Amino acid sequence: SILGPQPVTSSTIPSGTYYVILGNVLVVLSQLASAMQFVVQETFLKKHKFEAVQVVGTEGLWGCLMMIFYVLPICFFIPGSNIGSYENAANAFYMMGQNWVLLTLILVYILSIAFYNLFGLLVAKVLTSVHRTFIDTLRTIFVWGIEVFLYYALGDNAVVGQPWTKSSWVQLLGFALLVLGTCFYNAVIKIPKLYYPTKEQQQKENQKT
């Protein structure tokens, strides 16, 4: 007999596969949300003439309010391994107060994220969000390269980084295509007999959008 298609649920597939599929779906949804955020930010910067600092500050303010009044309280009442909670904010502040190294790293991280968002918005304002996305993806190359370097630089007892494997060649090829595509898109490498707009034409087009 011919069996009809069965619904894909947690009861019909292994639990490990289910979480892999769920994780991939969540990643795709997060990328869509990030794309919409970039488009909205560019709209505020170019159409409504907002300053990049103003956009970063407004997003940071609303982010802090959401964390204080919604996210952290919800995580506190969800059962977990952090003193009975999924995320115990009071315990986190206590640890920061007891360890100056941890506090310094957190402050440096906050400062770096602020400048990262500011520079990203400046790129989107001067150019486009597409340029910002292309440049942003290049940091993956540096992260991967540093991980490989650390793995071999620290020796056999390395607990960080990743080794060079057979699949690393595929990663290297993917990164090369990413860099090449970025160069083609930004007209750093120009293909003969193809039309490339001048800077004045690009500025007029950006003003229209």
Side-chain angles (χ1 to χ4, degrees):
S1 62
I2 300 177
L3 299 177
Q6 298 181 358
V8 179
T9 62
S10 58
S11 60
T12 59
I13 57 179
S15 59
T17 307
Y18 170 76
Y19 286 115
V20 170
I21 296 175
L22 177 62
N24 286 314
V25 171
L26 292 177
V27 168
V28 173
L29 292 177
S30 67
Q31 291 300 312
L32 290 175
S34 179
M36 288 188 291
Q37 178 187 4
F38 282 8
V39 172
V40 172
Q41 286 176 339
E42 186 176 354
T43 302
F44 277 107
L45 291 170
K46 293 184 176 180
K47 186 176 181 180
H48 301 289
K49 306 301 181 182
F50 278 68
E51 293 295 332
V53 177
Q54 183 180 3
V55 176
V56 172
T58 304
E59 289 181 347
L61 175 62
W62 281 104
C64 289
L65 293 176
M66 292 290 290
M67 288 292 294
I68 294 172
F69 293 104
Y70 292 98
V71 179
L72 291 179
I74 292 174
C75 291
F76 178 80
F77 289 105
I78 296 177
S81 58
N82 190 354
I83 315 182
S85 302
Y86 182 77
E87 184 67 37
N88 193 314
N91 183 47
F93 282 109
Y94 174 79
M95 289 189 292
M96 285 188 289
Q98 298 298 317
N99 192 326
W100 67 270
V101 176
L102 178 62
L103 179 61
T104 302
L105 290 175
I106 292 175
L107 293 177
V108 171
Y109 172 76
I110 293 174
L111 188 63
S112 65
I113 288 298
F115 280 105
Y116 165 77
N117 290 329
L118 176 61
F119 293 148
L121 289 175
L122 289 174
V123 171
K125 184 176 183 178
V126 176
L127 300 173
T128 64
S129 293
V130 178
H131 290 85
R132 176 187 176 184
T133 305
F134 271 119
I135 297 172
D136 186 55
T137 53
L138 293 178
R139 60 179 173 153
T140 309
I141 301 176
F142 294 101
V143 173
W144 178 69
I146 292 173
E147 282 189 342
V148 174
F149 171 78
L150 289 176
Y151 182 84
Y152 291 101
L154 298 178
D156 298 332
N157 297 324
V159 294
V160 295
Q162 65 176 14
W164 182 275
T165 62
K166 293 180 179 180
S167 61
S168 297
W169 291 106
V170 180
Q171 288 180 285
L172 185 62
L173 176 62
F175 288 138
L177 291 175
L178 178 64
V179 173
L180 191 62
T182 303
C183 292
F184 279 133
Y185 184 85
N186 294 316
V188 177
I189 301 176
K190 296 184 178 181
I191 302 176
K193 298 183 180 180
L194 286 184
Y195 169 74
Y196 292 94
T198 61
K199 291 183 178 180
E200 291 76 12
Q201 292 174 330
Q202 290 179 344
Q203 290 177 354
K204 291 181 180 179
E205 187 65 27
N206 290 335
Q207 290 176 355
K208 290 181 181 179
T209 56

